[in-house]
Amino acid sequence: MAEGVVTRGTTNPNRLRRMDRWIAATHAPALRRSPGPPLAVDLGYGAAPWTAVELLHRLRRVRPDARVTGLEIDPARVTAALPFAGPGLRFAHGGFELPLPGGERPLLIRAANVLRQYAEAEVAGAWARLCARLDPDGLLVEGTCDEIGRRHVWVALGPEGPRTVTFAARLAGLAAPSELAERLPKALIHRNVPGEPVHRFLRDFDRAWAAAAPYGPLGARQRWVRAVRSLAADWPLADGPRRWRQGEVTVRWPAVAPGHRGPV
């Protein structure tokens, strides 16, 4: 029996492009050194298969023989997706148990907008279940975005557990980094309160953004890069200017994990 509950299924073409591009860039070494065609799982792809189709295309720019399996707990969604199946792309009924042929371990599991509807207490168990199914070199990316992919926040996990949190935005029209708070994944969204490290992180980010206002006339990208560079003085960031220029910043998980003191 498939494990989990049916999501709203909301999906749009290119909704996950920021997440996909980050995956293709940061997970490229693991994809390239895989001894066989690497497998990615799009868990809970929704009412339409666009995200699985797009994930395959983006991964194949890094590894031409990459494969994607889209898993949905709603059998009707699987049936609707089958006409889009083809070489390297399949769709199947399943949930957190990841029913893959021969018990294959995927090199990537992407679970976007899946856990948002679960209780916070259920997240750790879902993470552990999925991480246990990963290839030793694998990655789980779990997070949330808005309906058209302008704002994302995701957690990256390896077989050992959570590693980083990435904040990504379309910078045009962004008034302050704390606007990303509404897209925090379930593990963090209820922790954006005084005393919690993710709240301090967003507070410090807003302060750095305000201090970088003189760079605004040069463009939102320059302002973002300047703000992130300032943020790096106090927070353990895991990326650099190449990613910052994409409207991203990645912070190491222990610094923002619930209950952790983090920088003061």
Side-chain angles (χ1 to χ4, degrees), residues 11 37 44 58 67-69 116 134 138 142 161 186 189 211 226:
T11 187
R58 288 166 183 150
R67 298 169 293 143
V68 170
T69 292
R116 186 70 178 262
L134 284 170
E142 186 273 308
K186 178 58 73 169
I189 194 165
R226 181 65 182 184

Side-chain angles (χ1 to χ4, degrees), residues 11 14 45 49 52 62 114-115 130 146 160 164 168 172 179 181 183 187-188 191 197 221 231-232:
T11 187
N14 276 325
Y45 57 83
V62 176
V114 171
L115 292 180
L130 295 172
D146 66 3
E160 78 287 354
T164 61
E179 291 182 347
R183 297 301 163 185
L188 294 173
R191 302 292 181 152
R221 178 178 298 180
L231 198 65

